[in-house]
Amino acid sequence: METDNPGHSSRWMVSFSATCFGPGLRPHGEKIPVRIGEEGLCLWPEEPLEQIIPYQDVQVSAGGFDHEQMILAWTKDAQAWSLTLTDKHAKDILLAHAPPALAPQLVQWRKKIHGAQKKMRAGWVALILFLLAPFLLLAVLLWNPDPVIGWTVNRISIENEQKLGDLIFEQTRPSLKLVTQGEAPRVVAEIGQKLVAGSPYTFKWHVADDPAINAFAIPGGHVVVFSGLIKAADSSEEVAGVLAHEIEHVLQRHTLKAMVHNLGWRAVIAMVTGDWTGSLLGEFATQMGVLKYGRDKESEADLKGLQLLKRAQIDPNGMERFFDKLSNRGGAQIALLSTHPASRERMEALRAAIKEAGTWRSKPLPYDWGRVKASLPSQ
């Protein structure tokens, strides 16, 4: 910083260097000396090119990628001129010795670069988080997945969940030999509709011609019952118990959560962004029928399923009787129990819940079960 110059007017206080742009100068600007005075900025002081720019003609703005540059601009003879201060020392001198005429603009410049830099820092943080998001999500999913899965699933509306379920079912359908005519699909749909009265989901019922004793639910409300399960049941109440259980996996979003858990951060991102392109749908589809739930979710589906049976006035013992019967027939070798294991604790909890509920009003379902089974294709 230069101080008063005895050889020049004492009004000139301090000086600094800045890059000047204007007519006749090099396109990339020229580094020139500048002095601060009471009347204005003096360019090229004590040189043949010396000129004074009145402060009232100067406009202050921010420039540069990070908004740290101070731009002083003015017009002379209808031509644009400017000074660019990039050096911190130069800016400090100007800020420290600025005349009152420039003070309001410099205050605004400070506010502007402060706000711009704050936004840039936030932008950098957001960019870094975005780039690291897959790795962060993977780490969280591995460390403590339930909160992330719950947060993700809660972001999905029922409408979008049902659209996703329709897409998954279309992916699953080629592997299924559906029974679309006859008693079995009609009766399954009628029982199912009794159980889901008042539900926010629009359920769709399917019977697949497959000897496996199995049933599964797809997010959004598709429920598939295998003909092998219908033939293994001794009554429509037993099938109603399985349906109630599968319905609750949909209503409690167990299926959706299990799929997110199995597919990890790719499913999290897809559900948040709504982007279902790529192989995800196919991977979702391959999980159907073999998707496993935790013990707590199986018990929750049992107990809440009992409430569906009670509300529909269907005998609850069908559910307990069918699962118990299957357990005694082979346990893990039965497809339904390999994915919905009927552990001793689960069966005891189910019996206790039925006992605790006491007698409730129920009506026998009006179906000739033998006729329903006889309507199925021979296997």
Side-chain angles (χ1 to χ4, degrees):
M1 180 179 74
E2 297 179 8
T3 57
D4 294 350
N5 188 335
H8 202 276
S9 169
S10 60
R11 291 174 298 173
W12 304 116
M13 306 297 292
V14 291
S15 64
F16 57 88
S17 296
T19 304
C20 184
F21 297 86
L25 302 181
R26 288 192 290 267
H28 57 276
E30 294 183 8
K31 199 80 167 179
I32 67 168
V34 181
R35 279 184 175 171
I36 301 172
E38 294 179 354
E39 298 176 358
L41 295 172
C42 179
L43 314 185
W44 294 284
E46 303 176 49
E47 296 181 17
L49 293 175
E50 179 180 297
Q51 57 178 291
I52 297 175
I53 312 302
Y55 292 122
Q56 61 268 26
D57 294 344
V58 175
Q59 297 294 320
V60 182
S61 62
F65 176 75
D66 54 2
H67 294 75
E68 285 192 344
Q69 293 181 352
M70 181 187 291
I71 310 295
L72 307 176
W74 67 93
T75 301
K76 182 180 179 182
D77 299 330
Q79 293 182 303
W81 289 76
S82 67
L83 284 174
T84 299
L85 285 69
T86 55
D87 177 64
K88 183 177 182 302
H89 179 65
K91 288 182 285 186
D92 288 345
I93 290 175
L94 182 61
L95 291 170
H97 300 277
L102 278 185
Q105 291 198 68
L106 293 175
V107 170
Q108 291 301 316
W109 176 81
R110 281 181 183 275
K111 290 181 178 177
K112 188 171 183 179
I113 64 167
H114 179 72
Q117 290 175 351
K118 190 174 180 181
K119 288 180 181 177
M120 284 196 65
R121 285 194 294 272
W124 279 112
V125 171
L127 177 62
I128 291 171
L129 289 176
F130 176 77
L131 294 174
L132 294 177
F135 304 101
L136 294 174
L137 283 171
L138 179 61
V140 173
L141 280 170
L142 292 174
W143 175 57
N144 190 13
D146 288 346
V148 176
I149 293 172
W151 179 88
T152 303
V153 168
N154 288 337
R155 304 275 81 74
I156 309 299
S157 67
I158 290 177
E159 180 184 8
N160 286 335
E161 184 184 348
Q162 293 193 146
K163 289 178 181 176
L164 172 63
D166 290 342
L167 292 173
I168 295 173
F169 180 71
E170 288 304 315
Q171 292 275 322
T172 309
R173 188 168 185 168
S175 64
L176 300 172
K177 185 179 178 182
L178 295 180
V179 180
T180 58
Q181 302 292 329
E183 286 287 282
R186 180 183 68 80
V187 168
V188 167
E190 286 184 4
I191 297 172
Q193 285 304 121
K194 285 176 66 71
L195 293 167
V196 299
S199 166
Y201 290 85
T202 301
F203 277 84
K204 298 172 184 175
W205 315 97
H206 310 279
V207 172
D209 182 17
D210 190 308
I213 302 174
N214 202 8
F216 63 85
I218 293 175
H222 286 272
V223 176
V224 180
V225 180
F226 286 19
S227 58
L229 185 144
I230 295 174
K231 290 182 178 180
D234 292 324
S235 70
S236 51
E237 283 77 7
E238 292 184 359
V239 172
V242 175
L243 289 176
H245 180 90
E246 295 296 338
I247 289 167
E248 282 299 335
H249 279 318
V250 174
L251 295 180
Q252 305 306 319
R253 293 183 148 181
H254 293 161
T255 314
L256 199 58
K257 292 174 181 174
M259 292 168 70
V260 174
H261 184 274
N262 286 359
L263 294 180
W265 61 269
R266 289 186 302 137
V268 173
I269 294 174
M271 290 193 177
V272 172
T273 61
D275 181 9
W276 299 110
T277 56
S279 60
L280 270 179
L281 281 177
E283 293 183 51
F284 277 140
T286 58
Q287 294 188 42
M288 294 297 95
V290 295
L291 202 61
K292 295 184 178 182
Y293 308 98
R295 182 187 304 173
D296 57 335
K297 290 183 173 53
E298 292 294 355
S299 292
E300 184 179 25
D302 286 344
L303 301 182
K304 290 186 178 296
L306 281 180
Q307 296 305 310
L308 295 182
L309 294 170
K310 182 176 183 179
R311 192 175 62 194
Q313 298 184 353
I314 297 175
D315 182 3
N317 293 299
M319 176 189 282
E320 184 272 334
R321 188 168 58 243
F322 190 60
F323 281 118
D324 190 45
K325 181 169 59 181
L326 294 184
S327 298
N328 294 329
R329 284 179 54 175
Q333 284 70 43
I334 296 175
L336 183 69
L337 296 189
S338 68
T339 54
H340 302 62
S343 63
R344 182 171 57 83
E345 293 80 5
R346 179 183 164 197
M347 297 305 297
E348 289 176 353
L350 184 59
R351 291 186 185 110
I354 293 173
K355 184 177 180 180
E356 183 178 351
T359 303
W360 72 51
R361 184 180 178 185
S362 62
K363 300 176 183 177
L365 291 169
Y367 304 112
D368 181 340
W369 199 243
R371 183 179 173 183
V372 172
K373 292 199 284 187
S375 73
L376 290 166
S378 301
Q379 295 163 352

